[in-house]
Amino acid sequence: MMRGCLFFAAMAFVTPFALAKAPADLEPLILGGFLCKENCFDEEYSFAKDDGERLFNTYTHSRPSISRARWTLEGDRLKVYEDDGKALRYDFRVVRATAKRLVLQQVDSNEPPVVLDRIVEKKKAAPAKQ
């Protein structure tokens, strides 16, 4: 019985993220555009790389809200800094990262997690041959 208790105690420290992806696999899943699904502070999010810089932008009603902020990835911690790259603006833990969804929990917060769905451009159908 004791062995089972130790197993469950050890499992309590493993996050869903740790079971799903290794941190090295995170960056490709974070890069791109996302739409708010739940508990967001803006409607659209963008994580990009431009000349080696990691840039974070958000949009509300198609207008920029946060522009050219910087982001870093340290294990499962995604940190967003002001545009000068010095002041920490958001400190997230990546709860889930898949090809379709990104779930972020603010560290040291009881707020529900931010849930984002990836923006996928629909391919246009090839014109019919005549």
Side-chain angles (χ1 to χ4, degrees), residues 43-78:
E43 294 173 351
E44 295 182 36
Y45 293 62
S46 169
F47 295 92
K49 279 178 96 171
D50 185 20
D51 287 331
E53 278 189 293
R54 292 173 168 161
L55 300 176
F56 175 75
N57 299 292
T58 65
Y59 305 88
T60 300
H61 304 298
S62 299
R63 294 178 182 250
S65 180
I66 298 172
S67 186
R68 296 191 62 80
R70 306 299 194 268
W71 61 277
T72 63
L73 187 59
E74 302 163 10
D76 69 347
R77 295 287 286 274
L78 175 65

Side-chain angles (χ1 to χ4, degrees), residues 2-23:
M2 183 64 159
R3 192 173 353 154
C5 292
L6 290 175
F7 171 76
F8 287 114
M11 288 301 292
F13 295 103
V14 178
T15 66
F17 161 78
L19 295 172
K21 291 285 180 190

